[in-house]
Amino acid sequence: MKYAFPDNFWWGSASSALQTEGAREGETTWDYWFAREPNRFHNGVGPQQTSTFYQHWKTDIQLLKQLNHNSFRTSISWARLIPDGIGEVNPEAVDFYNQVIDELNEQGITPFITLFHFDMPMAMQEIGGWENRDVVDAYARYAQICFELFGDRVLHWFTFNEPIVPVEGGYLYDFHYPNVVDFRRAATVAYHTVLAHAKAVQAYRAGHYAGEIGIVLNLTPSYPRSQNPADVKAAHIADLMFNRSFLDPVLRGEYPADLVALLKSYDQLPACKPEDGFLIAEGKIDLLGVNYYQPRRVKCRDSAVNPQAPFMPEWFFDSYEMPGRKMNPYRGWEIYEPGIYDILVNLRDNYGNPRCFISENGMGVENEQRFIENGQINDQYRIEFISEHLAWLHKGISEGCNCLGYHMWTFIDNWSWCNAYKNRYGFIQLDLETQKRTIKKSGEWFAATALNNSFDKE
Ligand code: BG6
């Protein structure tokens, strides 16, 4: 069967500043944490060892062109642009981002720019990070500076990438700095992130810039083990906590009432100001980026909660390992292609069918060198992964879902948070020693698909 996509469908990939650029003047929480606990990073490889986009941006954009990208998302590093988060703008950073944006546009690759991709400037973390409302204001200033500097040539802005991840990693599950385990503080961080998002949207609207503004959320459809009411309730609460805590404010302009009631009953609500509600209502977006990697399967808890243990989302559900599920064993994530369709249908039916696109989807695989044939990684598994997901996405579009594009994670194999270079995601293989880039089979497949705006599959 031929899967053809609508005209002007966005074909591309995503990356982020910290994971690709390399050396920078302003310190982030990642540099700080790595300097103190390198053992927390795979093979002791830290955020300085990247794919050196700062040096190779021009030839890398040539490679994007070779992959027939018509769009590409990366982020601006707040710490590079404003090293202390709040003070002077670094002119070298302005030059760098201007060159990248101009070159992308010149090559016919539309730049999609994220303002915050997990990379808090250390100076901002030192005053409390997202727990401090002053950081919300500093972020809003940073966003406005970016709109002023680049808003004439960047027409697709994203306030945050996966804002729930720093909440989970930094304040619940101990995989980002500052390694706090405290739900109320996590809720405050999440809430202030929504306020920061809304302030950036407000500034964007006030400036009457030419483009559109949105956010990128990692949506994990919550599937109950069964239709037993206890399992269904467990899945509903997981959905409230992990999806709707951001999805509802940015699309509906308010939090789900049952999420607020639940947190209130456990005394976990963050401190709110009366004017916050108006601000959140103004944070509604033009475009939603959906990152989809894995579903969330849950069941009701089998055991009682330990009342001495810290309050956690898992007080309301257990995770459920569905027999027969397909796994990506390297990352430990389930691969469930229909999830992409379920997300789009949920957006269509419950959120007014917003303009959206798949902003990340991908498969990290360890030790890909074993698949080298004639000097090239033959990653057939990645081609299957993409085409299966695209088939479900295509079904969603044919049923009226407003999905405008598909971006893969990622372009060139890049540094990944605590996993460093353990799992490779790229269309292009990176030799860490030489920095040599070699297009994988999946890169060729994607280039052909983007060129034809379609692909064939049985
Ligand atoms: C997304 C992030 O969560 O998934 C990326 O936006 C990240 O920054 C990607 O690299 C893959 O996840 P990981 O943890 O395997 O790198």
Side-chain angles (χ1 to χ4, degrees):
M1 171 174 167
K2 188 183 184 77
Y3 292 86
F5 289 82
D7 289 346
N8 304 317
F9 196 70
W10 292 322
W11 294 106
S13 57
S15 71
S16 84
L18 193 113
Q19 292 176 268
T20 60
E21 288 177 2
R24 143 189 40 75
E25 190 186 321
E27 194 187 27
T28 69
T29 47
W30 293 94
D31 307 298
Y32 180 88
W33 189 26
F34 178 70
R36 275 148 196 87
E37 291 189 78
N39 51 304
R40 296 288 299 255
F41 296 77
H42 183 72
N43 284 347
V45 173
Q48 282 79 24
Q49 276 172 269
T50 67
S51 40
T52 56
F53 186 66
Y54 193 76
Q55 283 82 38
H56 293 110
W57 58 271
K58 196 156 189 172
T59 45
D60 281 354
I61 292 172
Q62 279 308 317
L63 287 169
L64 285 174
K65 184 89 192 143
Q66 228 173 301
L67 296 184
N68 290 327
H69 280 36
N70 60 18
S71 44
F72 173 64
R73 181 168 68 99
T74 187
S75 67
I76 291 176
S77 159
W78 181 0
R80 183 185 293 286
L81 194 72
I82 308 172
D84 66 358
I86 191 64
E88 294 290 306
V89 171
N90 171 8
E92 280 172 30
V94 177
D95 285 349
F96 169 62
Y97 290 118
N98 269 331
Q99 286 172 326
V100 169
I101 290 164
D102 289 346
E103 181 68 13
L104 285 168
N105 278 322
E106 228 157 85
Q107 298 299 330
I109 302 166
T110 305
F112 287 34
I113 300 293
T114 311
L115 291 169
F116 188 94
H117 193 126
F118 306 172
D119 50 351
M120 179 65 87
M122 195 56 210
M124 296 287 93
Q125 190 62 41
E126 273 162 3
I127 61 168
W130 294 118
E131 288 185 84
N132 182 348
R133 280 185 184 241
D134 291 344
V135 173
V136 172
D137 291 333
Y139 168 86
R141 172 182 178 268
Y142 154 65
Q144 174 131 30
I145 288 172
C146 290
F147 302 149
E148 279 301 311
L149 287 170
F150 314 115
D152 54 337
R153 288 153 295 140
V154 173
L155 302 181
H156 307 280
W157 290 95
F158 302 91
T159 54
F160 285 88
N161 177 79
E162 301 190 351
I164 201 156
V165 170
V167 176
E168 294 174 335
Y171 296 86
L172 288 175
Y173 304 123
D174 187 32
F175 60 87
H176 281 201
Y177 190 79
N179 313 95
V180 168
V181 177
D182 184 321
F183 191 98
R184 199 162 188 276
R185 291 176 67 183
T188 302
V189 166
Y191 184 63
H192 287 173
T193 308
V194 167
L195 297 181
H197 157 83
K199 282 199 173 201
V201 172
Q202 208 179 37
Y204 195 72
R205 306 263 181 253
H208 301 288
Y209 300 98
E212 59 182 346
I213 189 158
I215 193 166
V216 170
L217 301 181
N218 51 316
L219 299 180
T220 46
S222 292
Y223 299 108
R225 165 182 59 181
S226 74
Q227 287 306 304
N228 183 296
D231 286 343
V232 171
K233 185 176 173 195
H236 175 66
I237 294 181
D239 187 39
L240 284 177
M241 295 225 182
F242 294 107
N243 297 318
R244 296 188 53 195
S245 51
F246 283 94
L247 193 58
D248 281 40
V250 303
L251 287 177
R252 294 185 172 151
E254 60 183 17
Y255 281 95
D258 44 355
L259 175 63
V260 176
L262 179 72
L263 296 192
K264 191 163 183 216
S265 68
Y266 285 87
D267 194 25
Q268 297 292 332
L269 277 182
C272 307
K273 291 187 179 175
E275 63 272 23
D276 291 350
F278 296 105
L279 178 62
I280 292 169
E282 292 201 351
K284 285 204 246 172
I285 54 171
D286 308 315
L287 174 65
L288 177 68
V290 175
N291 290 359
Y292 176 64
Y293 288 89
Q294 57 169 340
R296 183 184 301 276
R297 296 193 191 275
V298 298
K299 59 182 183 182
C300 69
R301 285 187 60 101
D302 293 328
S303 58
V305 161
N306 170 7
Q308 307 304 317
F311 178 81
M312 280 285 182
E314 287 73 11
W315 278 32
F316 304 98
F317 55 82
D318 276 339
S319 63
Y320 171 58
E321 294 187 9
M322 185 182 75
R325 66 193 179 145
K326 179 160 62 171
M327 289 297 290
N328 170 353
Y330 317 104
R331 190 61 179 83
W333 287 346
E334 182 182 342
I335 298 174
Y336 183 65
E337 300 89 348
I340 215 164
Y341 169 79
D342 291 342
I343 290 172
L344 296 178
V345 167
N346 178 42
L347 292 172
R348 182 193 68 194
D349 295 348
N350 298 313
Y351 291 89
N353 209 12
R355 299 176 78 248
C356 67
F357 74 113
I358 300 303
S359 39
E360 284 182 33
N361 181 218
M363 187 185 184
V365 173
E366 207 166 344
N367 186 18
E368 278 198 317
Q369 285 87 334
R370 72 196 132 124
F371 301 112
I372 291 182
E373 286 170 15
N374 304 321
Q376 182 187 44
I377 290 178
N378 185 355
D379 52 347
Q380 198 55 40
Y381 43 87
R382 186 168 285 110
I383 296 173
E384 270 159 37
F385 178 98
I386 303 172
S387 56
E388 298 275 333
H389 282 86
L390 277 174
W392 283 98
L393 188 156
H394 185 270
K395 178 171 159 63
I397 294 175
S398 68
E399 294 173 14
C401 299
N402 204 359
C403 181
L404 307 171
Y406 178 81
H407 283 187
M408 265 300 268
W409 187 269
T410 185
F411 165 40
I412 298 175
D413 291 337
N414 66 24
W415 185 83
S416 152
W417 317 112
C418 295
N419 276 332
Y421 285 94
K422 176 179 169 289
N423 303 315
R424 305 298 185 100
Y425 284 87
F427 282 134
I428 296 177
Q429 178 198 1
L430 174 74
D431 183 323
L432 262 185
E433 299 299 311
T434 62
Q435 289 287 319
K436 182 167 178 254
R437 282 99 159 111
T438 312
I439 298 182
K440 302 179 193 175
K441 265 273 178 295
S442 62
E444 291 175 353
W445 183 91
F446 190 83
T449 300
L451 184 72
N452 301 328
N453 205 27
S454 67
F455 69 96
D456 290 305
K457 187 170 126 44
E458 283 164 21

